[in-house]
Amino acid sequence: MEEKTFTVPNISCGHCVNAIKEELNEADGVTGVEGDPGSKTIKVKWDSPATEDSIRAILKEINYPAE
């Protein structure tokens, strides 16, 4: 299992975090998503077939690109 904390500058509130959680939890291989609107970060845990690149692509697609 892999885990990474992504900085997502477009997060402004808890609603943003919930929207990101819903989208990432639908991706195959994603096993956990936690977010903090205060620090504008999302912590994601995943296994194959998900990858860091695929997670970044989803975040970009939903207008929450990670730095």
Side-chain angles (χ1 to χ4, degrees):
M1 180 176 67
E2 296 192 53
E3 178 178 317
K4 182 172 177 80
T5 300
F6 297 91
T7 299
V8 182
N10 287 359
I11 293 175
S12 61
C13 62
H15 177 75
C16 297
V17 171
N18 287 336
I20 292 169
K21 284 182 177 179
E22 285 181 23
E23 291 293 332
L24 291 181
N25 279 323
E26 291 179 5
D28 287 339
V30 172
T31 58
V33 182
E34 297 173 24
D36 178 12
S39 63
K40 299 182 183 287
T41 57
I42 296 289
K43 181 189 287 185
V44 185
K45 296 178 183 177
W46 71 89
D47 289 313
S48 183
T51 64
E52 180 177 338
D53 287 343
S54 69
I55 291 166
R56 286 182 179 277
I58 292 169
L59 290 171
K60 185 175 180 182
E61 181 180 310
I62 62 172
N63 294 320
Y64 293 104
E67 289 187 335

